[in-house]
Structure formats: C-alpha cells, structure tokens
Amino acid sequence: LKSSLKSCPWRSAPSPAMAALSVQVEAYAFRQLVAHLQWRTDVQNVDIMNLTGFCRNCLSKWVHAGSKVYGLPMEYDDALERVYGEPYSQYKQKHQKKATEEQMAAYKSGEAKHARTDPGPAFAASGVVAAPSGGAGGHSTVCGQECDALPPLAALDLGGATVQARVAVLTCSDRAHRGEYEDKSGPAIAEAVAAFAARNADAGFAASVMQIRVVPDEEGGIAEALKEWCEPRCCDVIFTTGGTGFGPRDVTPEATRRLVQRPAEGLARAMAWQTSFQEPHSILSRGVCGVTGQGVLIVNLPGNPAAVRQCLSVVLPVLPHALKMLNS
C-alpha cells in the first residue's frame, strides 16, 4: 500500500485538474470520517485523545484553521457544529461524560504524543503535506491553540508586482431595496474583500470598496447600474449578489450579459463546483462572470450571505492575478 501511494499520480506534482480531483477525493474521506464520529457518540473525546493524540475538538480546529487559510469567514462554533453535527453545547449535554481518574491519568501520561502545538510541516504549493522532520510525531498546529489565532497562510505570489483592486458591490433584491429586510450579502462581500486584502498586504495586494448599492430585480435597472460603474472605469471589479436563481425575477445574469464582452466561464464553473460539496443547490445558480469592453471584471454571486462567502473563497485567491492580467 505504501509503495502504491508513492506511485499514485496525485501524490506528486499533480496537474491542476488532477489536484482539484484529489482534493475532492480527500474531502470525501474527511466527510466519511466526520459522519463516523457523529455516529459513534458512545466513544468519548478523551478516549480518542488517549489513543490517537487528537479528538473531535482538534478536528474542529483544523476546519476552523482551514477556513482562515482559504478565506472563508467562519466562527469556531460553526466549525464545531460541522464536526459534531449539532451545537457543541447540545452534544456535550447528551453524550459527553465526565472523564474518569484512569482516563485523565492516561491523558496526562500521553501528553508528549498529543497533537503538536509547535509549527508543523509546511503545506506545499502542490497541496501535499511534507513529512515531519526529526522523526517528530504528528503534524497538528492547533491542539491548545487559541481559536482565533491565525495559522500560517500560503503566501500570495504576485511576482513582485503591486496590484490594487477598486471594488464595487451591487445587491440585486426587490425586498432589500424596499427595506423589507437588511442587506447582509453586500456587506459580507465588502468584509471578505477587506479581510483578504489585509492578509495579503505584504504581498503587494490592496483593495478598497468604492461603491455599495442596492437595486430591485429589474434587468434594465441592474444593467444601468453596472454601466454607470463600467463606462468611466471607476472600478476594476464588480461583485453582484442576488438574482441568479431560477425565479422569474432572477434576472441578474441577463443584465450582466448586456455588458460582458469576454465571458469568464471558468470562474462561474469553479464557484458552482467547489461550493456544491457544501451546498448541493449551488449548482442551480445561473450566475455569469466576464470582462466588459472597458476591462472591468463582473462576478455574479448568489444572494445568501453564507453562499457569498463560499464563492468568494474560490474567487478571491485568483482575483489579484486576474486583475494583474487585465491591467498589463
């Protein structure tokens, strides 16, 4: 088995397509692991910790750390719920028992083999985790770590260039425009863009949100708002949110197509594919992406704030390179 893994094509220098597929294979294994742990509520965290050096809480912290690495806003409580299948407080009340003296003694005696709190191996650009050096066991950097501590991030490589992004946000919603509910998707976009820019400032990337507007689900009105920003090129990228579904009032893609001259279908496909593993209905989005005649990138995002964050976790890491090409 070991020799088979070494020769497996996705274990070394994978192509982009193979790398993306291998991520889904690994994600499937993770989901099966989580499902098994949710089923085996009879197995206590302390017992898993004593046998393996990590537990469900460590797994939750890995999820939380991964959300920061890839720019997906997530609270630690959300990560806990993904692993436990319900709010952690409910799980503890129903299933967690007080540890016995024997369990605590085993916990103390095995601390040297618990998931490490010192920095583990680097996460290579290929996505393959390097083997621990010096024979040290484990590779966790989260056990004992504060939940809001920022894990090491993969450096954004802009080749020494400085990229500045002027961003506009357009929320397309009848009800939000009428004031029937608060627009949360537009601010979620602004928050995610600002956070991504702050994390990558040292790499030469800067972003500022120039405009935020809410318009009703009217194709002409949406197109006019986009045109108003694109023609004088007062921004480099426009994120729309809402109006991408199958409803009769979902007309944001039609309005966007009026201005797009060069479609960027790969972005739309990547968002739908990657987010579908968390929300299967995301493949029902009709959102389009593309470049206008003035060189402005327009990206249609869904209307749900959580879905917006998921899609931005796919788009934002490639946005600096896209803008670098557009401005070259």
Side-chain angles (χ1 to χ4, degrees), residues 138-149:
H139 67 267
S140 172
T141 60
V142 296
C143 191
Q145 173 181 292
E146 292 295 328
C147 296
D148 57 356

Side-chain angles (χ1 to χ4, degrees), residues 67-242:
S67 74
K68 294 180 178 180
V69 170
Y70 292 104
L72 177 65
M74 179 188 296
E75 300 296 329
Y76 179 53
D77 286 344
D78 297 330
L80 284 167
E81 188 166 345
R82 291 194 182 201
V83 170
Y84 283 93
E86 60 183 318
Y88 182 44
S89 58
Q90 293 181 18
Y91 182 93
K92 285 198 300 182
Q93 186 176 9
K94 290 192 294 186
H95 304 297
Q96 191 160 305
K97 302 175 183 177
K98 184 178 180 180
T100 65
E101 292 184 3
E102 292 80 6
Q103 287 172 322
M104 290 308 301
Y107 179 89
K108 290 293 184 182
S109 66
E111 281 185 339
K113 295 182 180 180
H114 289 177
R116 283 167 27 188
T117 56
D118 57 303
F123 192 83
S126 64
V128 179
V129 178
S133 59
H139 67 267
S140 172
T141 60
V142 296
C143 191
Q145 173 181 292
E146 292 295 328
C147 296
D148 57 356
L150 188 66
L153 298 173
L156 184 66
D157 184 8
L158 296 177
T162 299
V163 176
Q164 295 187 344
R166 298 170 300 164
V167 179
V169 179
L170 186 67
T171 298
C172 307
S173 168
D174 288 331
R175 289 184 294 169
H177 184 260
R178 291 194 297 261
E180 294 179 9
Y181 66 70
E182 179 186 0
D183 172 31
K184 295 184 178 180
S185 298
I189 295 172
E191 177 187 346
V193 169
F196 181 80
R199 286 197 301 270
N200 292 285
D202 291 342
F205 179 70
S208 56
V209 178
M210 311 295 292
Q211 300 274 355
I212 298 181
R213 188 182 300 179
V214 180
V215 297
D217 290 306
E218 298 286 351
E219 183 178 338
I222 296 171
E224 189 60 33
L226 295 174
K227 182 179 179 182
E228 181 182 329
W229 289 339
C230 289
E231 286 195 342
R233 208 179 189 281
C234 61
C235 56
D236 303 297
V237 57
I238 300 173
F239 290 110
T240 72
T241 171

Side-chain angles (χ1 to χ4, degrees), residues 15 19 26 47 58 61 103 105 108 138 173 236 257 259 264 284 305:
S15 66
E26 292 161 0
D47 291 326
C58 296
K61 288 185 179 181
Q103 287 172 322
K108 290 293 184 182
S173 168
D236 303 297
R257 288 192 183 95
L259 285 86
L284 297 178

